[in-house]
Amino acid sequence: MTQANKSDQPEEQPTMLEQMGGVVGLACSALPVVVFVLVNSFAGLVPAIWSALGAALVIGVVLAKRKGSIQPAISAVFGVGLAAFIAYRTGSAKGFFLFGIWQSLVYGGAFLLSIALRWPLAGVVWSFLNGQGRAWREDRASVRDYDIATLVWALVFLSRFAVQRWLYDEASVGWLAFARIAMGYPLMAIAVATTVWAVRRSDKRLAALKESAEAEEAAEEERLRARYGDPAGQAAPEPRTEVAGDPADAEAPDRSGTPGQR
């Protein structure tokens, strides 16, 4: 296959699972939580903290090798490290989940506020990541679709907060871990699917509006040409050719001579 044919083929879009980190990403996000709960149940809080940090460090190294960057490693260790620090300061295993609980509340409130301000975060973030500009802001239907997607994200985060906050008050560490995993990527998959739905509807509508505007512009240009003419497009007038007279007229004697010549 030639390089030209390869360039003509559309690029394959990553699947939803790939966008969420793949199977490895799903496992890596859940591993520190599982390790923390298991070790805490057998050995106590401090060993559980160190075990979770060790698991996060291993995950960070794996992600750094897979992606060729240390940023995933720093993010993985920082998130678990912050949760472990809160658990150590509170002296309770349930403190390991406290940061994530309040983080969900902040995120949910931000998504709701963006809907009220008519700048739905689902559309803002997607346009920023893909460099598509703000054309969707001029289309009310696109804004409505992104409102729906943003509302789904808000419900995901607020439901996490409500459930996990209740479990936190009940001091159910095991159920907190289960809720964090079960309400993590599965609910996020629903929100991502809704966002993809909104993006496709918006892109399709904007493309149709662009084609319609171009067609109207071309039709208006044709009307103006038909009304006022197109000097550049008019053909040059054909040169006039003189028709030769009748040969008989040419041979006829000139009878208009002077009287003296008759």
Side-chain angles (χ1 to χ4, degrees), residues 32-53 84 87-88 91-94 96-97 173:
V33 177
V34 174
V35 170
F36 177 83
V37 173
L38 291 177
V39 176
N40 178 73
S41 62
F42 291 104
L45 179 61
V46 175
I49 291 175
W50 286 109
S51 299
L53 288 174
Y88 177 78
S92 175
K94 67 179 184 179
F96 186 84
F97 304 92
V173 178

Side-chain angles (χ1 to χ4, degrees), residues 12-78:
E12 294 183 0
Q13 298 295 328
T15 64
M16 185 180 301
L17 182 61
E18 293 173 345
Q19 293 176 359
M20 297 170 63
V23 177
V24 176
L26 296 178
C28 289
S29 64
L31 183 59
V33 177
V34 174
V35 170
F36 177 83
V37 173
L38 291 177
V39 176
N40 178 73
S41 62
F42 291 104
L45 179 61
V46 175
I49 291 175
W50 286 109
S51 299
L53 288 174
L57 184 60
V58 172
I59 290 171
V61 173
V62 172
L63 292 178
K65 289 184 177 180
R66 290 182 70 243
K67 298 181 178 295
S69 172
I70 63 172
Q71 182 62 37
I74 296 176
S75 300
V77 175
F78 176 78

Side-chain angles (χ1 to χ4, degrees), residues 6 58 99 104 138 157 160 224:
K6 291 182 180 179
V58 172
F99 176 75
S104 296
E138 307 299 328
F157 287 117
R160 287 182 186 174
L224 292 176

Side-chain angles (χ1 to χ4, degrees), residues 159-201:
S159 63
R160 287 182 186 174
F161 170 78
V163 173
Q164 295 180 30
R165 176 63 185 178
W166 175 73
L167 292 173
Y168 180 87
D169 293 336
E170 296 293 325
S172 301
V173 178
W175 283 108
L176 268 172
F178 175 80
R180 178 159 178 177
I181 297 173
M183 302 184 74
Y185 280 111
L187 292 184
M188 188 179 294
I190 298 175
V192 170
T194 308
T195 303
V196 172
W197 166 82
V199 168
R200 289 179 177 176
R201 282 174 56 90

